């Protein structure tokens, strides 16, 4: 037996003892996650509740919430549809250029968001190739909430594809056989047999895409137009506060985004855990 595969209480271990592994994990989480969050709340310590409430409910800031949440919701729903379609194509079909398409799914992760924003703004502006054609049809993308949603969709679609893709790859062959034996249309078979297996992954990926979009800045700032009460996003409000050296105000607005994101992530995890337990309980 390899000395890396140590046995303890009937389970295999490939890392050093629990204490060392846990200690490194906690240190990493503290430095990368907890320390910045602590600093954020440290900035809020100098604000009274009345001051905090006045900052986060100021009219221009509230308008930015509406723009951000609305565009993020649209982007997440669009990604739910097209992310599922892309994952299905990548798993179920073999075609020329499949590896290239699969690699392109990770492009939003590798590409600096500012570069993506400049590219999208150049492409969809009235002087751009796509923007000029769309405006000739009476449809403007750049400097509207549509452009914001487009930028959000671009940066967050990998979350849906990469969440659904492994579930499709691991799906038992019996699922496809059951779908084929139903004698119903492909749409009915997909909805009643295949979709229940994909549903948790799709919801999780869509939720992650939504949360990712809430905090996006670089890809949006160039295509949004940044018009107060119309195309200003919450991340821009934080940036404006920082430019004014109002760190407490920036932290107050950031805390709202943080609260919404953590609440949604927690809700997704709780729902997913209950769904899995119910599914296993049904099988038992």
């Amino acid at each position: 037996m390899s000395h890396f595969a140590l046995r303890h209480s009937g389970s295999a271990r490939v890392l050093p003892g629990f204490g060392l592994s846990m200690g490194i994990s906690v240190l990493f989480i503290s430095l990368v996650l907890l320390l910045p969050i602590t600093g954020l709340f440290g900035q809020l310590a100098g604000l009274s509740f009345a001051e905090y409430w006045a900052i986060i409910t100021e009219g221009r800031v509230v308008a930015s919430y509406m723009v951000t949440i609305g565009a993020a919701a649209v982007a997440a729903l669009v990604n739910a549809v097209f992310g599922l379609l892309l994952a299905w194509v990548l798993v179920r079909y073999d075609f020329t250029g499949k590896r290239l398409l699969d690699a392109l799914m990770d492009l939003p992760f590798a590409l600096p968001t500012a570069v993506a924003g400049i590219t999208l703004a150049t492409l969809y502006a009235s002087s751009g190739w796509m923007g000029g054609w769309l405006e000739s049809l009476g449809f403007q993308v750049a400097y509207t909430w549509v452009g914001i949603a487009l930028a959000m969709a671009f940066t967050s679609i990998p979350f849906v594809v990469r969440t659904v893709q492994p579930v499709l790859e691991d799906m038992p062959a019996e699922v496809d056989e059951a779908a084929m034996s139903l004698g119903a249309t492909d749409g009915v078979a997909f909805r009643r047999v295949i979709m229940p297996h994909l549903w948790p992954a799709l919801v999780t990926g869509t939720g992650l895409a939504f949360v990712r979009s809430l905090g996006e800045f670089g890809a949006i700032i160039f295509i949004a137009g940044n018009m107060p009460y119309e195309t200003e996003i919450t991340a821009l409000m934080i940036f404006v506060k920082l430019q004014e050296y109002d760190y407490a105000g920036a932290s107050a607005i950031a805390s709202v985004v943080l609260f919404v994101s953590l609440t949604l992530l927690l809700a997704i995890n709780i729902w997913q855990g209950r769904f899995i337990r119910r599914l296993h309980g049904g099988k038992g």
Side-chain angles (χ1 to χ4, degrees):
M1 179 184 295
S2 171
H3 67 281
F4 288 108
L6 302 177
R7 290 283 177 178
H8 179 69
S9 300
S11 61
R13 303 190 318 182
V14 295
L15 290 176
F18 173 78
L20 178 60
S21 302
M22 187 64 178
I24 294 174
S25 300
V26 171
L27 176 63
F28 178 81
I29 292 174
S30 299
L31 292 176
V32 176
L33 296 178
L34 298 183
L35 189 60
I37 293 176
T38 302
L40 184 148
F41 284 103
Q43 292 289 338
L44 297 178
L47 294 175
S48 66
F49 179 77
E51 292 172 330
Y52 174 80
W53 186 255
I55 292 172
I56 65 173
T57 58
E58 194 268 325
R60 186 174 172 185
V61 176
V62 172
S64 75
Y65 298 153
M66 299 298 102
V67 172
T68 303
I69 293 174
V74 171
L77 292 175
V78 169
N79 282 345
V81 175
F82 289 98
L84 174 60
L85 177 62
L86 286 168
W88 184 271
V89 169
L90 288 171
V91 173
R92 294 306 179 101
Y93 299 105
D94 290 318
F95 52 91
T96 303
K98 177 179 177 178
R99 291 182 180 275
L100 176 60
L101 179 61
D102 190 41
L104 286 176
M105 291 300 99
D106 293 324
L107 181 62
F109 287 153
L111 188 68
T113 55
V115 175
I118 294 173
T119 303
L120 290 172
T122 302
L123 185 62
Y124 286 96
S126 57
S127 58
W129 176 65
M130 285 293 296
W133 177 71
L134 289 172
E135 287 196 13
S136 68
L137 300 176
F139 189 71
Q140 183 178 357
V141 174
Y143 316 128
T144 67
W145 73 268
V146 178
I148 298 175
L150 176 66
M152 288 179 173
F154 173 81
T155 56
S156 62
I157 193 169
F159 287 97
V160 179
V161 176
R162 295 313 189 200
T163 304
V164 174
Q165 191 174 356
V167 178
L168 274 172
E169 291 172 345
D170 295 338
M171 187 175 294
E174 291 80 4
V175 175
D176 286 341
E177 294 172 0
M180 294 174 62
S181 65
L182 277 178
T185 63
D186 291 341
V188 173
F190 177 82
R191 187 173 68 253
R192 294 188 177 181
V193 180
I194 297 177
M195 194 59 188
H197 290 266
L198 301 180
W199 184 246
L202 182 61
V203 171
T204 300
T206 303
L208 292 175
F210 178 79
V211 172
R212 173 68 178 83
S213 297
L214 290 180
E216 182 54 48
F217 178 73
I220 299 173
I221 201 70
F222 297 101
I223 198 173
N226 309 318
M227 292 178 286
Y229 298 93
E230 293 184 25
T231 59
E232 280 186 332
I233 58 173
T234 304
L236 177 62
M237 292 292 93
I238 298 173
F239 180 76
V240 169
K241 293 291 185 181
L242 291 175
Q243 290 291 93
E244 298 172 348
Y245 300 100
D246 184 4
Y247 299 116
S251 298
I253 300 173
S255 69
V256 176
V257 179
L258 177 64
F259 174 76
V260 173
S261 300
L262 290 179
T263 301
L264 183 58
L265 289 174
L266 179 62
I268 291 173
N269 282 312
I270 293 175
W271 173 83
Q272 192 175 39
R274 290 180 176 178
F275 184 92
I276 292 174
R277 286 196 298 270
R278 187 167 63 248
L279 184 63
H280 289 171
K283 289 182 177 180

